[in-house]
Amino acid sequence: MSAIDKPITIHQPKRLEVGAGASARLGSWAAGVERSLVIADQHTASYADALELPGNVTIFADVTPEPDTSVLERAIAFARECQPDLVVGLGGGSVMDIAKLVAALWDGEQALKDVAGPNRVQGRRTLLAQVATTAGTGSEAGIRALVTDPDSKSKIAVESPYLLADFAVLDPVLTYSVPPAVTAANGIDAMAHCVEAFTNINAHDLIDGYARMGMSLIGKYLPRAVADGQDTEARAGMMLASYYGGICLGPVNTAAGHALAYPLGTRLSLPHGLSNAIIFPHVLAFNESVHSEKTREIAGALGLHFDGSAGSLFDSAYAFCRDLGVEMQLAKHGTQEEDLSTWAEEAHGIRRLMDNNPRDMTVDDVLAIYRAAL
């Protein structure tokens, strides 16, 4: 399905700093900035001093997991009060997505409704830096931002090169405090980005290369990062894997796995990484029949047992996630059987992702996966 001669465009941050202590380099890059706004959550706000930002620094620390439009509106209003020259996203994917939208929208006439979809952002005058504190979403690498509609519980996606960071940081030290179960779920989210891009109908040889690097790093380092949160090498390896996954999202994007995960986040308020971890083995096995060669590569990179049958693949992938400490049963997260039909319709309706899947998935197929995950 991949084609080396197919036109493709890749966007990456203008500058990327990687390694232990790299977050301190942001301050020297930002020399001359008078007003900085740090977008964070209640935990990651405590890392703001490590950035060594110059001038007046203001912190908006009210970003919640799976933020809805009300969070974005408050953050934009906050930005209009402090009028920043630089917006810094300091956190995981939700924080960085809000930072992208704040940087693009706070000082202009466009609102979220005007920019939803691809290439509708007219421009951005404010500098944007992204400092990741988790290894999962890869949002620091990309041009997309997601926010939840509180009424429909669906994701509003904005995609534009104007959402790309001027400066991005992968500092493994900032991930030391991420708990083991969250480390596991975030790592599986990064893995899903790579796997879904690798097996996507829009797959491309260039993106396959990033996906392979990401999957190899995850197979090598995720168990170590879960076992010892202060294993700097493992943490750094996972941040690189997450970044590679983020690059995969740009020109190729994810597919059915993420479509099925989204209702779990919006309806159950599950963290995005956890939602993807629960779904990952099911969709991997579902797609095996149309991508057996690439599936063998995935299994090899992750150390999964795969004898050529979808059953063995599912069992091994499920055990991989479970043994990392992920609670894989939806019922344990508050799901009721009667919820599943509605969620299946919602997931199936996310055509921007479902249409990327290498094997057609009906509403009944989605429902069967949810029931198997219950």
Side-chain angles (χ1 to χ4, degrees):
M1 285 190 180
S2 65
I4 201 166
D5 60 345
K6 183 167 60 178
I8 191 171
T9 301
I10 291 185
H11 298 280
Q12 294 192 55
K14 294 179 181 177
R15 177 168 166 180
L16 176 67
E17 295 285 350
V18 182
S23 53
R25 299 174 200 159
L26 177 57
S28 59
W29 172 81
V33 169
E34 296 181 0
R35 297 179 302 276
S36 297
L37 169 60
V38 177
I39 305 290
D41 60 32
Q42 293 183 352
H43 173 69
T44 62
S46 63
Y47 297 140
D49 288 345
L51 307 181
E52 300 184 7
L53 290 166
N56 183 38
V57 180
T58 308
I59 301 175
F60 178 87
D62 293 336
V63 179
T64 57
E66 303 294 320
D68 64 22
T69 54
S70 67
V71 174
L72 176 61
E73 289 165 1
R74 292 197 302 272
I76 289 174
F78 194 90
R80 287 174 176 160
E81 289 290 327
C82 63
Q83 299 192 335
D85 306 305
L86 167 66
V87 172
V88 181
L90 177 60
S94 294
V95 166
M96 290 189 282
D97 282 4
I98 293 295
K100 291 175 185 179
L101 294 171
V102 169
L105 299 178
W106 81 265
D107 62 345
E109 297 181 356
Q110 287 190 293
L112 180 62
K113 63 180 176 60
D114 302 316
V115 299
N119 299 312
R120 299 179 66 189
V121 179
Q122 293 178 351
R124 192 190 83 224
R125 294 186 292 271
T126 306
L127 290 171
L128 174 64
Q130 299 283 27
V131 182
T133 63
T134 63
T137 68
S139 183
E140 71 281 353
I143 62 172
R144 287 189 180 89
L146 300 174
V147 65
T148 300
D149 182 326
D151 297 322
S152 67
K153 300 298 182 182
S154 62
K155 293 286 187 179
I156 300 171
V158 181
E159 177 183 341
S160 170
Y162 292 116
L163 300 185
L164 192 67
D166 299 295
F167 190 100
V169 177
L170 305 178
D171 185 344
V173 175
L174 299 185
T175 69
Y176 281 172
S177 63
V178 180
V182 179
T183 297
N186 288 343
I188 296 167
D189 184 26
M191 180 170 69
H193 292 161
C194 294
V195 169
E196 290 179 46
F198 192 54
T199 56
N200 201 293
I201 65 167
N202 298 311
H204 190 284
D205 290 78
L206 178 58
I207 297 304
D208 283 357
Y210 285 108
R212 287 185 175 103
M213 289 192 292
M215 292 185 295
S216 177
L217 287 168
I218 291 162
K220 180 177 181 180
Y221 288 119
L222 181 54
R224 280 175 52 179
V226 171
D228 179 3
Q230 296 197 21
D231 182 335
T232 307
E233 180 182 319
R235 289 294 196 182
M238 286 307 302
M239 295 203 88
L240 281 176
S242 177
Y243 183 82
Y244 292 149
I247 294 174
C248 291
L249 295 180
V252 175
N253 209 354
T254 54
H258 270 64
L260 269 67
Y262 280 141
L264 309 187
T266 55
R267 295 293 180 175
L268 292 176
S269 298
L270 294 187
H272 179 67
L274 176 57
S275 299
N276 274 287
I278 292 169
I279 293 299
F280 174 75
H282 298 272
V283 175
L284 179 67
F286 180 87
N287 287 335
E288 180 277 329
S289 63
V290 295
H291 255 318
S292 57
E293 184 176 335
K294 281 193 168 183
T295 299
R296 287 192 181 279
E297 283 197 63
I298 295 165
L302 301 177
L304 305 180
H305 172 69
F306 176 46
D307 63 8
S309 71
S312 71
L313 179 67
F314 172 80
D315 291 343
S316 187
Y318 188 96
F320 177 88
C321 299
R322 181 200 61 209
D323 293 349
L324 288 170
V326 178
E327 175 50 69
M328 298 294 288
Q329 290 185 271
L330 285 174
K332 297 291 182 65
H333 297 289
T335 304
Q336 304 294 322
E337 167 72 29
E338 53 267 28
D339 299 329
L340 300 181
S341 294
T342 299
W343 298 357
E345 293 281 356
E346 288 181 7
H348 188 262
I350 305 175
R351 301 317 307 176
R352 66 183 181 86
L353 300 182
M354 278 293 193
D355 288 343
N356 297 336
N357 206 58
R359 181 183 172 193
D360 184 58
M361 187 178 287
T362 67
V363 174
D364 287 342
D365 291 328
V366 178
L367 183 57
I369 288 176
Y370 282 152
R371 283 175 172 158
L374 188 61

